[in-house]
Amino acid sequence: MPSNERRYVIRLGCPDRTGIVARISGFLADAGGWIVEAAYHTDPATNWFFTRQEVRADSIGFGVDELRERFAAVAGELSPAADWSVIDTGVRRRVVILVSKEGHCLYDLLGRVHSGELDVDVRAVVGNHADLAPITRAHGIPFHHVPFPADPDGKAAAFAELRDLVDAHTPDAIVLARFMQVVPAQLCADWAGRALNIHHSFLPSFIGARPYHQAHKRGVKLIGATCHYVTADLDQGPIVEQNVIRVGHADSVADMVRKGRDIEKVVLARGLRAHLEGRILLHGNKTVVF
Amino acid sequence: MPSNERRYVIRLGCPDRTGIVARISGFLADAGGWIVEAAYHTDPATNWFFTRQEVRADSIGFGVDELRERFAAVAGELSPAADWSVIDTGVRRRVVILVSKEGHCLYDLLGRVHSGELDVDVRAVVGNHADLAPITRAHGIPFHHVPFPADPDGKAAAFAELRDLVDAHTPDAIVLARFMQVVPAQLCADWAGRALNIHHSFLPSFIGARPYHQAHKRGVKLIGATCHYVTADLDQGPIVEQNVIRVGHADSVADMVRKGRDIEKVVLARGLRAHLEGRILLHGNKTVVF
Amino acid sequence: MPSNERRYVIRLGCPDRTGIVARISGFLADAGGWIVEAAYHTDPATNWFFTRQEVRADSIGFGVDELRERFAAVAGELSPAADWSVIDTGVRRRVVILVSKEGHCLYDLLGRVHSGELDVDVRAVVGNHADLAPITRAHGIPFHHVPFPADPDGKAAAFAELRDLVDAHTPDAIVLARFMQVVPAQLCADWAGRALNIHHSFLPSFIGARPYHQAHKRGVKLIGATCHYVTADLDQGPIVEQNVIRVGHADSVADMVRKGRDIEKVVLARGLRAHLEGRILLHGNKTVVF
Amino acid sequence: MPSNERRYVIRLGCPDRTGIVARISGFLADAGGWIVEAAYHTDPATNWFFTRQEVRADSIGFGVDELRERFAAVAGELSPAADWSVIDTGVRRRVVILVSKEGHCLYDLLGRVHSGELDVDVRAVVGNHADLAPITRAHGIPFHHVPFPADPDGKAAAFAELRDLVDAHTPDAIVLARFMQVVPAQLCADWAGRALNIHHSFLPSFIGARPYHQAHKRGVKLIGATCHYVTADLDQGPIVEQNVIRVGHADSVADMVRKGRDIEKVVLARGLRAHLEGRILLHGNKTVVF
């Protein structure tokens, strides 16, 4: 059974009550659905139910449009507040990557795309510096250089240009791969649930600028990286994935920067993969990652 | 919702086919079952389906005996080869612990029992040395000293005595907390699926005696600990849980022994907890840990 | 070479310049000192030099008092600002442990003392609750119950009593093993460099009360524990050791509390061991841990 | 103090006795040497002493050739068996990388070279497949395709060609970045202490072919990666660095392969960095990694 076998991924969030699982699994059984993977969770604090079901596309006797139509009825019956979607893995997902000067996350993502591990369509890379244009173009991917001036008007214009470049691709994911610019609130809102950032600290420690300098000054014994959805509150968005690495008194800030890169790139790649596979369900400022 | 709220845990393994989830969740929905936690897995290599369902006991309109009776019909209908059980968390689980001289795992388990974290009935501790009698008895738990002679006959007699002491409690788990004696094949068979051992290496590395000495000699940079079910093949039983800790050239064998203890005790405690909560489903020589 | 072989541990911090290592190692060579372990560090930010040298006591032709006297001359010659000490491992170190209701750290420490891993003299355990008196006394260690009233005057009186109980033992380490009371500034000053606390978060995240609740609310994917020296600024003292453990959306606050304990106790034990072996050199609000 | 400041790295191994540290540090002090980093270790089992000293080049009043000449006298005086070397960080180190089809390690190394993190001269990449030629050449690095036939004669000829390509560069490191061919014993001998391999398991577990398949079959809960020096005994060379990552019952072999890559590339990069910085001292089949 190859991993690139076509599948439909059904995701649902709704108020919890008994019988939801039976209703959904009954629906899938009636449709002939061969469930490859199924996960459930209920958050007791908000009484919210979450599920993700992955079924073999060839086991369903009708197309994805009809699946969406039929499932809409089931979801509506479960709750008018139900939040659901169906992903068809037969349609390649579109990704736009935003970068600045530092290339470790971009290299890592391009390597994964090149090997086929990350089977996505990287539509474009946009950078406020041009340093990473050559490696991007060596992969046959368009690179757009949008310089970001320091003055507010120039910056606003740059963001407008950036938005147009990104939105033209209607991406499933916008990846801030060490982009280093604070995204305006309106753009955060428009890209809600689609823009993933990697922050180079173990959030909520060391929010904002120069987190490794902050970490060095505090004398921590572990440094971290956090992948989170971008929201208008800087570095406060829903956390998707985190990891840490050990440091010691002998590590300078430069050593921390170097060591930290090794977790930043892996944490971002894991977060992006989970996002694209529809494994992340958002609820308030928290994530369920199936 | 307190964590000690009474629950029924239904576990099932059987050949995979479509509709199993629908059948089980339909059964639970009909019984009014409030599912607190549900997990599924299919092993593609053997086409074996596994599930564990945890329901609130007070949501079911009948007792655990009737639940077992009714679920037996469902399981039989799904497959004559189905392997299933229902655990009632309202009945405290019985545990017997086997020890030798080293006390770190026993201390750790007794601390968890004392705090209520591990809500079990430790019926007895049996040791081939008496060193750990005082700490055991300080917790009001009977300690039995069964010396193990080096000669085969004496050892066989000791194991016979040990078995009687253990079996008298019909334990749900027999914990070899650094017991350091090779259990006879017949006893392994009789205790199959109930006896958990902690081995002080990252299995399958360093099987058998003095694993830290082997690790030191090989110059590894991480040492490990493995919790596994005891089988007749020494250190070859199904693996439940593992962890590692970093070591370096400056660590002597004694340092490795000391550092290793910190993972041994945690790995054993996690394995035991998973076992008692019915989270481990055995299939061949592998485990599914929900 | 047994690990309990008697050793002298020389620790020095002073402004950096060339020739310090040569001066100290020349001094030790002249004294016949067999160096078992040696470590050096210079902090470029403050230009401060740190060293720790461990020598076999039987290799030195004179006693520890004369070693101190002779080394004082060397240190004074290197810098009038030099901060140094000599530890004789032949003198057992004295420890007092402060507890509240939660016993996991105390159990862990007592287990290490019982096995000889932590070869110290636990002079007393003091608790603001009496829950842990039985396990303490089962080890032949005095337990003092000092209730802490909620009113400021009562609390001040309790701390005065606590201080007398502790100071009577002139302890080398005062261990706050989940003590849960904010220590007054004057006591922090008097115990500076000797009082170790375990905080149940990855500092500087989640300072203050109920860190697991804060962590759950923020939706982090790792929780942590931090061992640090106690200072007047709550949870802001020099960090000695940290570790983290993975959590997920399915973990309740109670699950986090349970999982967190497994790192709290190990982090505290490692920090205490490093402190007692003279491995920690303090400088400003940071530690060098050799 | 920039990290690319020129330094001399002095490494020495010899039989242990008192006074070695004093002799070396005295020598350095006399030469005006500003020690930036110093490390020592004695292996009690073999009574072998190891040290690594890093000094600022501009603090020494003479050149590296004279430093080598003068230090040779010191080393010879300490022991005729002394094994020592002096590295001048002002001379860029030469690296040749061997690859097959899998590109994750190569991508990772090229990214580090591009960013300047790994400040080395990658002279060439040699592959038994041509898949990674484009990414190599996009970095301006020559790629040589040397196909490896299955028959012994053809393979021997291919290795002869490979050796010529490699040796022409007199590399300081030969990196087997998932090269997947068993290197002949003679070549292992000729490249002793310079050829680094990444093995995709936690050695000594799962030696030889298809380690992830072996790991999946055994049902381990962690998979690993090991960087080691290449020797004639397959996967038995001195271990430099290791790491592990958690897996579970839901992970297929393909999942393990994917997850394993994330530790393989980091473990290899760390091992290579330590090698190039002269941090690894070999003794028998073990490493000291300062």
Side-chain angles (χ1 to χ4, degrees):
Chain A
M1 188 165 58
S3 67
N4 55 358
E5 178 195 59
R6 188 175 178 182
R7 294 176 181 177
Y8 299 141
V9 178
I10 300 167
R11 296 137 36 89
L12 170 86
C14 70
D16 196 20
R17 61 174 180 82
T18 56
I20 301 179
V21 178
R23 183 67 190 91
I24 295 174
S25 54
F27 165 76
L28 287 173
D30 290 346
W34 180 296
I35 299 171
V36 177
E37 196 180 320
Y40 305 92
H41 174 63
T42 298
D43 176 24
T46 57
N47 195 41
W48 201 261
F49 171 88
F50 305 83
T51 189
R52 178 186 182 274
Q53 310 265 345
E54 197 169 324
V55 297
R56 293 176 57 162
D58 62 11
S59 70
I60 303 274
F62 40 85
V64 70
D65 291 336
E66 188 169 341
L67 178 60
R68 285 201 181 96
E69 204 172 303
R70 292 194 189 191
F71 190 75
V74 175
E77 179 190 313
L78 289 170
S79 164
D83 175 23
W84 65 274
S85 63
V86 175
I87 297 172
D88 177 358
T89 70
V91 179
R92 276 180 98 211
R93 326 250 15 226
R94 290 180 306 278
V95 173
V96 175
I97 303 174
L98 310 186
V99 300
S100 185
K101 286 181 174 177
E102 290 228 49
H104 55 285
C105 288
L106 181 65
Y107 260 84
D108 186 78
L109 293 173
L110 293 177
R112 292 173 200 268
V113 171
H114 175 261
S115 73
E117 174 189 313
L118 197 59
D119 184 25
V120 300
D121 187 2
V122 180
R123 306 287 304 207
V125 174
V126 186
N128 62 335
H129 293 274
D131 305 52
L132 298 170
I135 181 69
T136 303
R137 289 176 183 145
H139 287 79
I141 297 168
F143 183 94
H144 306 287
H145 180 202
V146 180
F148 271 63
D151 65 294
D153 283 359
K155 194 167 278 193
F159 264 117
E161 185 185 349
L162 175 85
R163 170 210 284 267
D164 288 346
L165 284 167
V166 171
D167 287 354
H169 299 289
T170 56
D172 298 295
I174 300 137
V175 182
L176 284 70
R178 296 298 308 271
F179 175 55
M180 310 302 286
Q181 293 285 332
V182 178
V183 180
Q186 185 57 50
L187 208 45
C188 293
D190 294 346
W191 290 349
R194 286 187 298 148
L196 282 167
N197 184 47
I198 180 72
H199 184 75
H200 40 313
S201 87
F202 181 69
L203 288 175
S205 291
F206 311 131
I207 283 171
R210 295 161 59 97
Y212 290 124
H213 288 77
Q214 295 182 54
H216 189 264
K217 195 177 166 202
R218 182 61 186 92
V220 293
K221 302 301 184 189
L222 297 165
I223 52 172
T226 304
C227 176
H228 64 93
Y229 285 104
V230 177
T231 62
D233 294 319
L234 183 65
D235 301 332
Q236 306 272 13
I239 293 172
V240 172
E241 173 69 342
Q242 300 185 291
N243 209 347
V244 293
I245 193 168
R246 189 159 281 271
V247 292
H249 59 261
D251 286 302
S252 64
V253 171
D255 293 327
M256 288 185 175
V257 167
R258 174 172 53 78
K259 293 185 175 180
R261 283 189 205 119
D262 284 350
I263 48 172
E264 289 169 32
K265 62 192 185 190
V266 172
V267 165
L268 177 60
R270 279 191 208 152
L272 176 59
R273 183 180 187 85
H275 172 80
L276 292 172
E277 292 183 349
R279 296 187 176 279
I280 310 176
L281 280 77
L282 278 163
H283 192 61
N285 204 45
K286 293 175 73 172
T287 60
V288 168
V289 184
F290 284 127
Chain B
M1 188 167 62
S3 67
N4 56 358
E5 177 194 61
R6 189 175 176 182
R7 293 175 181 176
Y8 299 141
V9 179
I10 300 168
R11 296 137 35 91
L12 170 87
C14 70
D16 196 19
R17 62 176 180 81
T18 55
I20 301 179
V21 178
R23 183 68 190 88
I24 295 173
S25 53
F27 164 76
L28 287 174
D30 290 347
W34 180 295
I35 300 172
V36 177
E37 196 181 321
Y40 305 91
H41 174 63
T42 298
D43 176 25
T46 58
N47 196 41
W48 201 260
F49 171 88
F50 304 84
T51 189
R52 176 184 183 277
Q53 310 265 344
E54 196 168 325
V55 297
R56 291 175 59 161
D58 61 12
S59 69
I60 302 275
F62 40 85
V64 70
D65 291 336
E66 188 168 342
L67 177 61
R68 286 200 180 97
E69 204 173 303
R70 292 193 190 193
F71 190 74
V74 175
E77 180 190 313
L78 289 170
S79 165
D83 176 24
W84 65 274
S85 63
V86 175
I87 296 172
D88 178 357
T89 69
V91 178
R92 278 180 96 212
R93 326 255 7 231
R94 289 180 306 278
V95 173
V96 175
I97 303 174
L98 310 186
V99 299
S100 184
K101 285 181 175 177
E102 289 228 49
H104 55 287
C105 288
L106 180 65
Y107 260 84
D108 186 79
L109 294 173
L110 293 178
R112 292 172 200 269
V113 171
H114 175 261
S115 72
E117 173 189 313
L118 197 60
D119 183 25
V120 299
D121 187 3
V122 180
R123 306 287 303 208
V125 175
V126 187
N128 63 335
H129 293 274
D131 305 53
L132 298 169
I135 180 69
T136 303
R137 289 176 183 146
H139 288 78
I141 297 168
F143 183 93
H144 305 287
H145 180 202
V146 180
F148 271 63
D151 65 294
D153 283 1
K155 194 167 278 193
F159 264 118
E161 185 185 349
L162 175 85
R163 170 210 283 267
D164 288 347
L165 284 167
V166 171
D167 287 354
H169 299 291
T170 56
D172 297 294
I174 300 135
V175 183
L176 284 70
R178 296 299 307 273
F179 176 54
M180 310 301 285
Q181 294 285 331
V182 178
V183 178
Q186 185 57 50
L187 207 46
C188 292
D190 294 346
W191 289 349
R194 286 187 297 148
L196 283 167
N197 184 45
I198 180 72
H199 184 74
H200 40 313
S201 87
F202 182 69
L203 289 176
S205 289
F206 311 131
I207 283 170
R210 294 164 57 98
Y212 290 124
H213 287 78
Q214 295 182 55
H216 190 263
K217 196 178 165 201
R218 182 62 186 91
V220 293
K221 302 300 182 190
L222 296 165
I223 52 171
T226 304
C227 176
H228 64 94
Y229 284 104
V230 177
T231 62
D233 295 318
L234 184 64
D235 300 333
Q236 305 273 14
I239 292 172
V240 172
E241 173 69 342
Q242 300 186 291
N243 210 347
V244 294
I245 194 169
R246 189 158 280 271
V247 292
H249 60 261
D251 287 303
S252 64
V253 171
D255 292 328
M256 288 185 174
V257 167
R258 174 172 53 79
K259 292 185 175 180
R261 280 187 207 123
D262 284 351
I263 48 173
E264 290 169 31
K265 62 191 183 190
V266 172
V267 165
L268 177 60
R270 279 192 207 151
L272 175 60
R273 183 180 186 86
H275 172 79
L276 293 173
E277 292 183 349
R279 297 188 174 278
I280 310 174
L281 279 75
L282 279 163
H283 192 59
N285 203 46
K286 293 174 72 170
T287 59
V288 168
V289 184
F290 283 127
Chain C
M1 188 165 61
S3 67
N4 55 359
E5 178 194 59
R6 188 174 177 183
R7 294 175 182 177
Y8 299 140
V9 179
I10 300 168
R11 296 136 37 90
L12 171 87
C14 69
D16 197 19
R17 61 173 179 85
T18 54
I20 302 180
V21 177
R23 184 69 191 89
I24 295 174
S25 53
F27 165 76
L28 287 173
D30 290 346
W34 180 295
I35 300 173
V36 178
E37 198 180 321
Y40 304 91
H41 174 62
T42 298
D43 177 24
T46 57
N47 195 43
W48 201 259
F49 171 87
F50 304 85
T51 189
R52 178 186 182 274
Q53 310 265 345
E54 196 169 326
V55 297
R56 292 176 58 164
D58 60 12
S59 70
I60 302 274
F62 40 84
V64 69
D65 290 336
E66 187 169 342
L67 176 61
R68 286 200 180 97
E69 204 173 304
R70 292 193 189 193
F71 190 73
V74 174
E77 178 191 315
L78 289 171
S79 165
D83 175 24
W84 65 274
S85 62
V86 175
I87 297 172
D88 177 357
T89 69
V91 179
R92 280 181 95 211
R93 327 263 355 238
R94 290 179 306 279
V95 173
V96 174
I97 304 174
L98 309 187
V99 300
S100 183
K101 285 181 175 178
E102 290 228 48
H104 55 287
C105 288
L106 181 65
Y107 259 85
D108 185 77
L109 293 174
L110 293 178
R112 291 173 201 267
V113 171
H114 175 261
S115 72
E117 173 189 314
L118 198 59
D119 184 26
V120 299
D121 186 3
V122 180
R123 306 286 304 206
V125 175
V126 187
N128 63 334
H129 292 275
D131 305 53
L132 299 170
I135 180 69
T136 302
R137 290 176 182 147
H139 287 78
I141 297 168
F143 183 93
H144 306 287
H145 180 203
V146 180
F148 271 64
D151 65 295
D153 283 359
K155 195 167 278 193
F159 264 116
E161 184 184 351
L162 176 84
R163 169 210 283 268
D164 288 345
L165 283 167
V166 170
D167 287 353
H169 299 290
T170 55
D172 298 293
I174 301 136
V175 183
L176 284 70
R178 297 298 308 272
F179 176 55
M180 311 301 284
Q181 294 285 331
V182 178
V183 179
Q186 184 57 51
L187 208 44
C188 292
D190 294 345
W191 289 349
R194 286 187 298 149
L196 283 166
N197 184 46
I198 180 73
H199 185 74
H200 39 314
S201 89
F202 182 71
L203 289 176
S205 290
F206 311 132
I207 284 170
R210 294 163 57 99
Y212 291 124
H213 288 78
Q214 295 182 54
H216 189 264
K217 194 178 168 201
R218 182 61 186 91
V220 293
K221 301 301 183 189
L222 296 166
I223 51 171
T226 303
C227 176
H228 64 94
Y229 285 103
V230 177
T231 61
D233 293 320
L234 184 64
D235 301 334
Q236 305 273 16
I239 293 173
V240 172
E241 172 70 343
Q242 299 187 291
N243 210 348
V244 294
I245 194 169
R246 189 159 280 272
V247 294
H249 59 262
D251 286 302
S252 64
V253 171
D255 293 327
M256 288 185 176
V257 167
R258 174 173 52 78
K259 292 184 175 181
R261 280 187 207 122
D262 284 350
I263 48 173
E264 289 168 32
K265 62 191 184 191
V266 173
V267 165
L268 177 60
R270 279 191 207 152
L272 176 58
R273 182 180 187 85
H275 172 80
L276 293 173
E277 292 183 348
R279 297 187 175 280
I280 311 175
L281 280 75
L282 278 164
H283 192 60
N285 204 44
K286 294 176 72 171
T287 60
V288 168
V289 184
F290 284 127
Chain D
M1 188 166 59
S3 67
N4 55 0
E5 177 195 58
R6 189 174 178 184
R7 292 175 182 178
Y8 299 141
V9 178
I10 299 168
R11 296 137 35 91
L12 170 87
C14 69
D16 196 19
R17 63 175 177 83
T18 54
I20 301 179
V21 177
R23 183 70 190 86
I24 296 174
S25 53
F27 165 77
L28 287 173
D30 290 347
W34 180 296
I35 300 173
V36 178
E37 196 180 322
Y40 304 92
H41 174 62
T42 297
D43 177 24
T46 59
N47 196 42
W48 201 260
F49 172 87
F50 305 83
T51 189
R52 178 185 182 275
Q53 309 266 344
E54 197 169 325
V55 296
R56 293 175 58 162
D58 61 11
S59 70
I60 303 274
F62 41 84
V64 70
D65 290 336
E66 188 170 341
L67 177 61
R68 285 201 181 97
E69 203 172 304
R70 292 194 190 192
F71 190 74
V74 174
E77 179 191 314
L78 289 171
S79 165
D83 176 24
W84 65 274
S85 63
V86 175
I87 297 172
D88 177 357
T89 69
V91 179
R92 277 180 96 212
R93 326 248 17 224
R94 291 180 305 279
V95 173
V96 175
I97 304 174
L98 310 186
V99 300
S100 185
K101 286 180 175 178
E102 290 228 50
H104 55 286
C105 288
L106 181 64
Y107 259 85
D108 186 78
L109 293 174
L110 293 178
R112 291 173 200 268
V113 171
H114 175 262
S115 72
E117 173 189 314
L118 198 59
D119 183 25
V120 300
D121 187 2
V122 180
R123 306 286 306 206
V125 174
V126 187
N128 63 335
H129 293 275
D131 304 53
L132 299 171
I135 179 69
T136 302
R137 289 175 183 146
H139 287 79
I141 297 167
F143 183 93
H144 307 286
H145 180 203
V146 180
F148 271 63
D151 66 293
D153 284 359
K155 193 166 280 192
F159 264 117
E161 184 185 350
L162 175 85
R163 169 209 284 268
D164 288 345
L165 284 167
V166 171
D167 287 352
H169 298 291
T170 55
D172 297 296
I174 301 135
V175 183
L176 284 71
R178 296 297 308 269
F179 176 55
M180 309 301 285
Q181 294 285 332
V182 178
V183 179
Q186 184 57 49
L187 209 46
C188 293
D190 294 346
W191 289 349
R194 285 187 298 149
L196 283 167
N197 184 47
I198 180 73
H199 184 73
H200 40 314
S201 87
F202 182 70
L203 288 175
S205 290
F206 312 132
I207 283 169
R210 294 162 59 94
Y212 291 125
H213 288 79
Q214 296 182 53
H216 189 263
K217 195 177 167 202
R218 182 61 185 92
V220 292
K221 303 300 184 191
L222 296 166
I223 53 172
T226 304
C227 176
H228 63 94
Y229 284 103
V230 177
T231 61
D233 294 319
L234 184 65
D235 301 333
Q236 305 273 13
I239 293 171
V240 172
E241 173 69 342
Q242 301 187 289
N243 209 347
V244 295
I245 194 169
R246 190 159 280 271
V247 293
H249 59 262
D251 287 302
S252 65
V253 171
D255 293 328
M256 288 185 175
V257 167
R258 174 172 53 79
K259 292 185 175 180
R261 281 188 206 121
D262 284 350
I263 47 172
E264 289 169 31
K265 61 191 185 191
V266 173
V267 165
L268 177 59
R270 278 191 208 153
L272 176 60
R273 182 180 188 85
H275 172 80
L276 293 172
E277 291 183 349
R279 297 187 175 280
I280 311 176
L281 280 75
L282 277 164
H283 193 61
N285 203 46
K286 294 174 72 171
T287 59
V288 168
V289 184
F290 283 127

